[in-house]
Amino acid sequence: MTHKILSFKDLSIFPEDVFRQMGYAETPPSSQVMAMTKEVIRQAEMVVRPSFGFVTVDAQLQGHLLSVGDVAMHIGRIIAKQLAESEAFTFFVATAGKEIESLQQKMLSQGDTVSAYIIDALGSVVVERCADLMEGYLQESIDKLGWKHTNRFSPGYCQWPVSEQPKVFGLLGNATCGVTLNAQCMMKPVKSVSGVIGLGSKVRHMDYTCGICGLRDCLYRKC
């Protein structure tokens, strides 16, 4: 079981990362938005402490069913195919932390909706970068075995019901990084991600995964 707290600087986030998250792919933002984004990043840098936790276990994958002891998860055809060659499985959570939400609420209470929107975008960047670092840390831990890792897959996507989120958290034990679930199995803080990664000598990590998923209205879809 691994739990690691990061500093904001560990994430190497630049204003351009936030601009892309906000939709400024080709047209640059105004000078005012640029200045506000830099200020939001400055404020976040002082207080935000992202973190990740993971546990690696043996599991049985039969058809679309991934079983860890008496815990069985219906991960669906798409994810099962990507995990098929795995020799072990890592369950994880990564979070931007509650500080992002606190800053956003403060900005909203002051009527600063633009900064609140910017920090919402920043929170998405933070959690994704945190999860990327988690994957790197995980890879370092399995290098000695000659293993690789798959992409990360989360409940709520690719036919894996979000209602199975509590099963993932049950396997994480004390490595949940303070993330909790509400009655609808949604995570709090919102800027959090959880799921499973396959490990083994024959698995592969794909640079581009939207093509394997049939969810057309996904927030993260790139095509």
Side-chain angles (χ1 to χ4, degrees):
M1 185 178 297
T2 298
H3 176 221
K4 191 170 181 64
I5 300 174
L6 306 172
S7 71
F8 189 89
K9 288 185 177 180
D10 290 330
L11 307 179
S12 298
I13 293 174
F14 299 95
E16 291 76 15
D17 301 317
V18 184
F19 297 154
R20 283 192 292 272
Q21 183 66 33
M22 292 166 63
Y24 292 103
E26 298 178 359
T27 304
S30 67
S31 57
Q32 182 180 13
V33 171
M34 287 184 179
M36 293 178 73
T37 301
K38 291 178 181 178
E39 173 58 21
V40 166
I41 292 175
R42 186 193 68 79
Q43 292 185 44
E45 185 175 358
M46 293 189 293
V47 298
V48 171
R49 292 295 177 268
S51 61
F52 64 77
F54 64 80
V55 58
T56 299
V57 300
D58 293 324
Q60 299 296 320
L61 179 59
Q62 295 181 314
H64 306 166
L65 198 67
L66 180 62
S67 300
V68 184
D70 59 355
V71 178
M73 287 164 278
H74 299 79
I75 60 176
R77 175 184 58 82
I78 295 171
I79 297 176
K81 183 178 179 180
Q82 301 303 310
L83 298 179
E85 299 289 341
S86 301
E87 299 172 57
F89 300 85
T90 292
F91 291 89
F92 71 89
V93 64
T95 181
K98 62 183 180 180
E99 297 85 2
I100 286 279
E101 291 184 1
S102 296
L103 278 174
Q104 186 178 35
Q105 289 302 315
K106 178 181 178 181
M107 292 165 180
L108 287 172
S109 69
Q110 295 172 343
D112 189 354
T113 55
V114 176
S115 291
Y117 173 70
I118 293 171
I119 201 163
D120 183 78
L122 174 60
S124 297
V125 175
V126 168
V127 67
E128 287 299 310
R129 192 66 56 85
C130 180
D132 289 343
L133 288 179
M134 180 271 299
E135 284 192 33
Y137 192 92
L138 173 62
Q139 183 59 53
E140 289 181 4
S141 72
I142 61 176
D143 277 342
K144 59 182 178 294
L145 301 174
W147 284 4
K148 297 168 287 187
H149 70 278
T150 69
N151 296 73
R152 52 186 187 259
F153 300 99
S154 300
Y157 296 92
C158 297
Q159 302 174 345
W160 188 3
V162 71
S163 60
E164 296 206 332
Q165 189 86 269
K167 297 178 181 179
V168 174
F169 274 66
L171 293 171
L172 285 168
N174 294 325
T176 57
C177 301
V179 180
T180 58
L181 300 174
N182 65 16
Q184 290 74 44
C185 299
M186 305 303 290
M187 289 177 284
K188 186 173 178 59
V190 173
K191 301 300 182 180
S192 303
V193 61
S194 68
V196 66
I197 297 172
L199 313 176
S201 58
K202 297 180 181 179
V203 303
R204 63 192 181 109
H205 189 282
M206 300 174 64
D207 291 333
Y208 193 75
T209 58
C210 287
I212 70 172
C213 181
L215 190 60
R216 305 306 305 179
D217 59 350
C218 173
L219 173 64
Y220 301 106
R221 194 168 186 87
K222 299 180 178 66
C223 60

